Amino acid sequence: MRDAEREAGSVPGARGGARSRVSRVTPWAEGGAKLLSPPWAAYPQWYLRSWHCYLRMEEDTDFRIRFSSLGFITDHIGFRGTIKSSPSDFVVIEIDEQGQLVNKSTSGLINKVLPEPNNFAKKTKLDFQNISCQEGSNQEVNTFTKCSDDDQNHQSGSEKEDTINDGTSKGEEEKVHVLGNLLDEKTNDLLTHFAFDIKEKWNSKTELIGSSPEFSLGRILDKNQRAILHSAVRQKFPFLITVGKNSEIVVKPNLEYKELCHLVSEEEALDFFKYLDAKKENSKFTFKPDMNKDHRKAVHHFVNKKFGNLVETKSFPELNYNAANPNIAITVRFREKKHKHRKRSLFECQDQKVIYTAFTLRKENLEMFEALGFLAIKLGVIPSDFSYAGLKDKKAITYQAMVVRKVSPERLKNIEKEIEKKRMNVFNIRSVGDSLRLGQLKGNHFDIIIRNVRNQINDSTNLRERILEAIENVKNKGFVNYYGPQRFGMGRKVHTDQIGLALLKSEMVKAVKLFLTPEDLDDPVNRAKKYFLQTEDAKGTLSLMPEFKVRERALLESLHRFGMTEEGCIQAWFSFPHSMRIFYIHAYSSKIWNEAVSYRLSTYGSRVVEGDLVCLDEDIDDEHFPSSKVHLVTEEEESASTYAIHQVVLPVLGYNIQYPKNKVGQWYQDTLSRDGLQTCRFKVPTLKLNVPGCYRQILKHPHNVSYQLMEEHDTDVKTEGSHIDETTLSLQISFDLDASCYATVCLREIMKHDF
């Protein structure tokens, strides 16, 4: 039985509006699966909230309703106990992509990030593996200093194109060799023909009719290969430019080159563009001496108009000039660096390669973002310089792989003693070639101790038998793959999904206020938040907010700079790294998925029915499988029982997913309408957030399960010299879960007990 200490709740009844008294311990068995959850699991959350007075819960009522109303897939009774009595009772260790525990592995996951260089890279001896760009402001950057992280469009002159004009000191013959390796023979020939055709038209003074002609080199998925190809084409054909569009490289005439050729010789134009591409500090370029003052003025004007934020021009008399007939030459030199964070050219980046240091982070009873904030302060970097494969619990001892950029291994080792005071340790420290990505892990290993294990109320069956039954049942049948409570900010007034909903609706001011909503605690952090909501005084709040609250302070600093307006709040959200901004939207999607799977199970049970979505690949162990692997179940397949319940998936909200074609699909649409998202495309352009969505299996299984029941003795001193020994049982359980699965959710299914 479920915990009888929880009172039965009164909820709205059928469509007629009558109230029905439903016991929390009543099994719900519609559709063939005995689900120990009440039928109101399908009700919208706003509907439940209006009736929370009938559910006498502790604080954070909405949160408890949300999780206690979610169903189960197994039908055993379960047992009770306490988890996370102390951080050491809940140990989480990442499993890298090679299946190694990161607290023991010294390589594996991280080193795999760097692919083996392709043959063309080896032949040309070009090292583009560590090309990286400095994060800069949103100001327009001249095309000759541009180095983009991807192929998104940026402003370049009058056209919005990602025009890459970064040079190399390698000879043209090497570029020919590179093109031969990167492009097939046909594409290479067509490129050469396109280039000569453009040059021939220019030489014959024939104007290019219509829009600027272009030639596509096709899509190049590898970013390093794209960078090499951009540079190689420009070096071989300096009168062309290359433009990146969604991994496709398009070649166009370089109209600036043509314009300069009207002012100087073609040889000078060629040398000038090579000078710009080379980007050598303290170097100069001098045009041929020119006696015509008006002509020199035109050259000055052209160079400063097109490249003035990169170079400056001066006119100097030619050496040994004749005073009566002076020859004046224009000299060009690069400007001194004034903007610390401007984006750098490809070879500026190459000359100053970004350092990446990988390590394993052990933390105890520490929120992950707080840990990153503390590490960032000690290392003199910002939190977004850290990358990781997954988030980890706070009240636990966790081990996870991390990479920090711009920090050497020696520098990281130097702070080991300091961070121990914060219950953190770093080890397996080594240099690597790139950062980590979210989801770049196989899963997590858990070592958990459940204290004070006992039977459910009114259950007299042998406890050991109950435990054995529960664990074996979940091993064989699995558990409902809900997102865990920690994804939503358990125990807080404002949950992360509420902030995500506000961001999806572009309610930026509301989202900021939700983020800074205080808890009912009288401590410096919450006093600062209360002050802000009362005054909207960002500067004053900053003086109250403790230094260790890195996220809050970053947000407040932006608000102080830009103001508490809609635009100011947009800028404030950009003080968070992309991974953190999108985390809140993912939290909303996760909440909807939890409700959807509970509705799916209470409506259809464990049967696979027409309109369900199933995954055709048996080996899928994460959420990032393509839509081509997702199949819509037909009526014939339902009748033939072609698929099993463990193959059923449900969409996690986004712009690139399909919905089930049954009652569950309609539920999704109704829920989005309820939340005001009926027209939402799951893109927030103002925050540069795009959420394609994915699919998540509704059931998962724990792997490598082992457990042991232990006796513990508690001594209670009643009177002097009198001791009473009470024996309590603890369950030590270990198991592995796939990435994005939650141990607390697995334990909830085993124990049939909400935490």
Side-chain angles (χ1 to χ4, degrees):
M1 281 189 167
R2 299 299 303 275
D3 191 346
E5 292 173 350
R6 295 200 178 110
E7 298 183 5
S10 186
V11 297
R15 292 183 182 178
R19 297 179 187 173
S20 62
R21 192 81 171 171
V22 183
S23 170
R24 284 294 320 282
V25 297
T26 303
W28 186 247
E30 182 180 339
K34 191 175 183 183
L35 299 170
L36 297 183
S37 65
W40 64 77
Y43 282 101
Q45 289 299 306
W46 63 265
Y47 210 46
L48 287 170
R49 286 183 197 125
S50 64
W51 292 92
H52 74 275
C53 55
Y54 293 97
L55 299 170
R56 297 175 186 172
M57 303 265 182
E58 300 171 16
E59 62 178 315
D60 197 11
T61 304
D62 174 54
F63 178 84
R64 291 180 174 273
I65 292 174
R66 179 186 303 177
F67 270 85
S68 64
S69 64
L70 299 179
F72 299 93
I73 194 64
T74 52
D75 57 4
H76 58 267
I77 299 298
F79 54 92
R80 302 172 68 203
T82 305
I83 66 169
K84 297 190 176 183
S85 297
S86 70
S88 60
D89 283 353
F90 205 90
V91 179
V92 188
I93 308 171
E94 271 186 358
I95 305 171
D96 67 27
E97 290 183 318
Q98 285 69 47
Q100 299 294 314
L101 299 179
V102 298
N103 65 328
K104 297 178 181 177
S105 171
T106 56
S107 55
L109 165 70
I110 319 276
N111 291 332
K112 190 181 177 183
V113 175
L114 262 184
E116 180 71 15
N118 291 317
N119 289 334
F120 68 82
K122 291 178 181 176
K123 290 178 182 177
T124 58
K125 299 181 181 178
L126 292 176
D127 179 16
F128 285 85
Q129 292 295 335
N130 293 315
I131 292 170
S132 176
C133 298
Q134 191 84 319
E135 293 184 6
S137 67
N138 293 328
Q139 296 176 345
E140 183 177 332
V141 182
N142 185 276
T143 56
F144 287 89
T145 61
K146 187 168 295 180
C147 183
S148 176
D149 288 337
D150 49 33
D151 286 326
Q152 293 179 348
N153 292 339
H154 296 273
Q155 189 76 18
S156 173
S158 60
E159 296 181 30
K160 289 184 178 179
E161 297 175 334
D162 178 17
T163 309
I164 303 177
N165 283 290
D166 307 303
T168 176
S169 58
K170 299 294 181 181
E172 187 173 317
E173 67 280 357
E174 278 194 331
K175 296 302 175 184
V176 175
H177 186 62
V178 170
L179 290 174
N181 279 280
L182 283 174
L183 302 175
D184 58 71
E185 185 177 350
K186 181 180 178 182
T187 305
N188 207 350
D189 290 343
L190 288 173
L191 171 63
T192 303
H193 180 77
F194 174 81
F196 287 164
D197 188 50
I198 296 295
K199 195 70 176 296
E200 186 178 341
K201 284 185 169 62
W202 281 354
N203 291 339
S204 64
K205 311 298 183 184
T206 303
E207 289 299 321
L208 300 173
I209 301 172
S211 59
S212 180
E214 16 179 275
F215 174 72
S216 175
L217 301 179
R219 295 191 68 190
I220 311 293
L221 298 180
D222 185 270
K223 184 169 68 174
N224 293 328
Q225 292 185 17
R226 288 201 304 271
I228 296 172
L229 190 53
H230 277 296
S231 180
V233 172
R234 287 191 319 273
Q235 289 296 307
K236 185 178 180 183
F237 307 111
F239 50 89
L240 301 178
I241 57 171
T242 52
V243 179
K245 295 181 179 178
N246 298 324
S247 301
E248 179 188 14
I249 295 182
V250 176
V251 182
K252 294 183 177 184
N254 185 347
L255 299 180
E256 291 170 343
Y257 178 93
K258 180 187 177 186
E259 190 175 346
L260 182 59
C261 285
H262 290 313
L263 297 172
V264 300
S265 68
E266 187 173 340
E267 180 186 2
E268 286 179 281
L270 175 67
D271 290 341
F272 175 71
F273 275 83
K274 286 187 175 182
Y275 162 76
L276 288 178
D277 281 342
K279 192 69 178 66
K280 293 180 180 178
E281 285 190 46
N282 302 318
S283 62
K284 296 178 181 179
F285 174 83
T286 303
F287 287 100
K288 292 179 180 179
D290 186 359
M291 295 176 57
N292 189 321
K293 183 177 180 180
D294 290 336
H295 185 260
R296 292 198 307 270
K297 186 176 180 180
V299 175
H300 277 296
H301 180 73
F302 171 83
V303 173
N304 286 300
K305 179 182 176 182
K306 299 294 184 181
F307 318 111
N309 64 335
L310 176 65
V311 297
E312 58 184 352
T313 59
K314 294 283 186 181
S315 292
F316 296 100
E318 187 184 15
L319 291 177
N320 303 319
Y321 71 96
N322 184 336
N325 189 20
N327 275 335
I328 308 295
I330 297 175
T331 295
V332 183
R333 66 180 181 187
F334 288 104
R335 292 185 182 276
E336 293 182 9
K337 296 178 183 177
K338 293 182 180 179
H339 300 292
K340 197 173 182 180
H341 297 296
R342 68 169 174 80
K343 290 186 179 179
R344 298 178 297 181
S345 69
L346 183 64
F347 275 83
E348 209 179 352
C349 295
Q350 190 180 0
D351 290 340
Q352 302 177 29
K353 292 179 182 177
V354 175
I355 299 170
Y356 292 93
T357 296
F359 61 98
T360 298
L361 172 67
R362 179 195 184 274
K363 64 179 180 64
E364 178 179 339
N365 200 30
L366 197 62
E367 188 203 16
M368 183 166 161
F369 292 121
E370 185 179 339
L372 291 184
F374 187 79
L375 287 171
I377 291 171
K378 292 298 179 185
L379 292 169
V381 295
I382 57 177
S384 58
D385 286 323
F386 292 87
S387 58
Y388 41 85
L391 302 176
K392 295 291 173 281
D393 301 67
K394 176 186 177 182
K395 195 170 183 180
I397 294 175
T398 65
Y399 297 82
Q400 64 189 118
M402 281 206 170
V403 173
V404 59
R405 65 185 193 131
K406 299 184 290 188
V407 174
S408 67
E410 293 72 26
R411 193 161 144 217
L412 182 59
K413 289 175 184 176
N414 287 339
I415 68 164
E416 284 182 288
K417 295 295 182 184
E418 292 181 73
I419 65 175
E420 284 178 5
K421 302 170 186 175
K422 262 291 198 183
R423 304 179 303 281
M424 287 189 287
N425 303 96
V426 291
F427 53 98
N428 289 349
I429 301 170
R430 70 266 186 208
S431 295
V432 290
D434 207 345
S435 55
L436 274 170
R437 301 185 310 275
L438 281 172
Q440 197 178 346
L441 72 166
K442 188 172 183 179
N444 293 284
H445 172 80
F446 298 89
D447 291 316
I448 298 168
I449 298 176
I450 305 171
R451 306 281 181 186
N452 193 24
V453 178
R454 57 203 184 280
N455 285 93
Q456 301 280 20
I457 300 295
N458 300 326
D459 178 22
S460 58
T461 304
N462 180 275
L463 179 58
R464 294 175 187 270
E465 292 179 11
R466 280 288 184 237
I467 293 172
L468 176 63
E469 171 196 44
I471 295 175
E472 291 301 318
N473 210 9
V474 172
K475 276 175 62 177
N476 296 326
K477 296 181 181 179
F479 59 94
V480 186
N481 191 25
Y482 296 117
Y483 289 97
Q486 56 269 49
R487 195 171 183 92
F488 310 102
M490 182 170 56
R492 301 186 181 217
K493 273 188 179 180
V494 174
H495 301 130
T496 54
D497 59 89
Q498 294 171 265
I499 299 173
L501 177 58
L503 293 177
L504 280 171
K505 296 168 78 171
S506 293
E507 297 173 341
M508 300 300 169
V509 175
K510 180 180 179 180
V512 165
K513 289 184 176 180
L514 286 171
F515 179 81
L516 291 172
T517 297
E519 305 299 325
D520 293 329
L521 297 171
D522 187 25
D523 59 32
V525 173
N526 287 292
R527 284 197 293 272
K529 289 181 177 180
K530 287 175 188 174
Y531 175 79
F532 178 79
L533 291 189
Q534 291 168 356
T535 65
E536 294 188 2
D537 174 14
K539 184 177 181 181
T541 308
L542 264 172
S543 65
L544 299 173
M545 187 65 68
E547 289 288 336
F548 71 89
K549 300 303 285 186
V550 178
R551 286 178 293 167
E552 285 80 356
R553 291 188 62 84
L555 195 79
L556 289 165
E557 285 169 359
S558 289
L559 291 174
H560 172 52
R561 180 180 178 186
F562 297 106
M564 190 61 183
T565 62
E566 195 75 16
E567 181 60 32
C569 289
I570 289 172
Q571 294 299 324
W573 280 109
F574 274 108
S575 67
F576 289 179
H578 178 273
S579 59
M580 198 179 297
R581 296 197 302 274
I582 207 164
F583 167 79
Y584 292 102
I585 293 179
H586 285 164
Y588 172 77
S589 299
S590 302
K591 173 212 170 189
I592 299 304
W593 192 91
N594 277 3
E595 295 177 4
V597 71
S598 190
Y599 176 81
R600 161 63 181 78
L601 291 172
S602 65
T603 303
Y604 297 118
S606 58
R607 295 182 297 120
V608 181
V609 300
E610 180 184 1
D612 271 338
L613 298 173
V614 294
C615 178
L616 299 177
D617 193 335
E618 293 286 341
D619 297 326
I620 292 296
D621 59 3
D622 61 28
E623 300 173 1
H624 303 288
F625 50 90
S627 295
S628 59
K629 299 288 186 182
V630 177
H631 169 71
L632 198 66
V633 176
T634 65
E635 183 181 358
E636 294 76 16
E637 289 168 336
E638 176 188 350
S639 301
S641 299
T642 305
Y643 300 104
I645 187 65
H646 73 271
Q647 293 174 279
V648 175
V649 298
L650 283 178
V652 181
L653 296 174
Y655 61 78
N656 195 30
I657 50 97
Q658 62 171 318
Y659 294 101
K661 301 292 185 183
N662 50 32
K663 291 181 181 178
V664 182
Q666 185 58 50
W667 181 92
Y668 270 101
Q669 300 304 324
D670 293 344
T671 302
L672 290 175
S673 296
R674 172 200 78 189
D675 289 344
L677 297 176
Q678 54 268 45
T679 60
C680 179
R681 295 178 57 83
F682 290 92
K683 296 183 179 183
V684 187
T686 52
L687 295 184
K688 296 185 179 178
L689 299 179
N690 295 314
V691 186
C694 59
Y695 300 91
R696 184 174 174 92
Q697 291 171 289
I698 68 174
L699 296 184
K700 280 288 188 177
H701 288 76
H703 312 294
N704 303 320
V705 181
S706 63
Y707 55 94
Q708 179 183 3
L709 204 57
M710 305 177 296
E711 289 187 356
E712 294 184 311
H713 297 279
D714 291 336
T715 303
D716 185 14
V717 181
K718 296 295 182 182
T719 60
E720 188 175 347
S722 173
H723 300 273
I724 299 177
D725 250 0
E726 283 193 7
T727 301
T728 61
L729 292 177
S730 293
L731 176 66
Q732 187 174 20
I733 184 169
S734 298
F735 51 83
D736 298 342
L737 294 179
D738 293 336
S740 83
C741 293
Y742 291 80
T744 48
V745 172
C746 180
L747 292 176
R748 178 181 180 269
E749 186 87 43
I750 291 172
M751 298 171 66
K752 292 293 192 291
H753 177 58
D754 289 315
F755 305 112

